Amino acid sequence: EPWLESRNLKLIRKPGYGVKVEGHERDIRKTIVELVYDNFSRDELMTFLKEQYSTAVQVSMRTDIKKRLLHIIGDSTLNGIESAIESSSVLSAYEIADNAYVALVVHLSLAVQRLIAGENIHFDPMLLEELKESPEYDM
């Protein structure tokens, strides 16, 4: 609870319901990404997402990463996001750096999981207007 409070979030406990984290959307997103990056290195995420390695040790490492990441995100969501990114004709025209690819997959996967869970995702209107000005927004 103090850890969440230090990130401007509040832990809500309801008997019979469970727990819920409340706060501004930007703080929630930053905290979720922080949790992912605190528990996985960029290389671990890339290994899992790109599935580049084939030796027994590397497969074992990838399986461990997959279990931890899937616990947070979900297999079908993660596979769907990766499939959408790979099949996107707009994105395929761009060379995406490994860390940007990881960030994109993690952010999209977490957003989809939150929507599936029935959460509303609120976006700061000022930031949205700024993003609309960027060339990447149309992608």
Side-chain angles (χ1 to χ4, degrees):
E1 192 167 8
W3 184 82
L4 288 171
E5 288 174 358
S6 72
R7 284 150 181 82
N8 302 316
L9 300 174
K10 185 175 181 181
L11 186 64
I12 308 296
R13 293 184 178 96
K14 294 182 181 179
Y17 174 78
V19 296
K20 179 179 179 179
V21 175
E22 287 185 348
H24 292 289
E25 181 64 29
R26 178 177 237 147
D27 295 330
I28 291 171
R29 288 175 185 236
K30 284 172 57 177
T31 302
I32 290 171
V33 170
E34 183 181 342
L35 281 171
V36 170
Y37 287 136
D38 282 351
N39 289 286
F40 302 96
S41 71
R42 184 183 67 81
D43 290 338
E44 285 177 320
L45 289 168
M46 283 309 301
T47 298
F48 170 66
L49 295 173
K50 298 273 186 167
E51 297 191 5
Q52 296 173 358
Y53 301 106
S54 60
T55 67
V57 172
Q58 291 164 330
V59 168
S60 172
M61 181 177 158
R62 185 176 62 218
T63 302
D64 179 55
I65 295 165
K66 184 174 184 175
K67 284 179 189 174
R68 290 188 292 156
L69 191 56
L70 291 179
H71 181 70
I72 297 169
I73 294 175
D75 189 37
S76 62
T77 301
L78 194 61
N79 290 337
I81 295 295
E82 282 194 285
S83 177
I85 290 171
E86 290 170 13
S87 66
S88 168
S89 59
V90 175
L91 287 176
S92 64
Y94 290 89
E95 195 63 36
I96 299 175
D98 287 350
N99 58 345
Y101 178 82
V102 169
L104 179 62
V105 170
V106 169
H107 280 280
L108 291 175
S109 298
L110 293 171
V112 168
Q113 278 302 105
R114 291 178 62 200
L115 291 171
I116 289 170
E119 292 183 44
N120 290 323
I121 298 177
H122 304 282
F123 208 86
D124 177 12
M126 299 281 288
L127 180 58
L128 181 57
E129 289 306 314
E130 284 180 41
L131 290 173
K132 284 181 178 180
E133 301 296 321
S134 73
E136 294 83 8
Y137 181 80
D138 289 333
M139 286 193 303

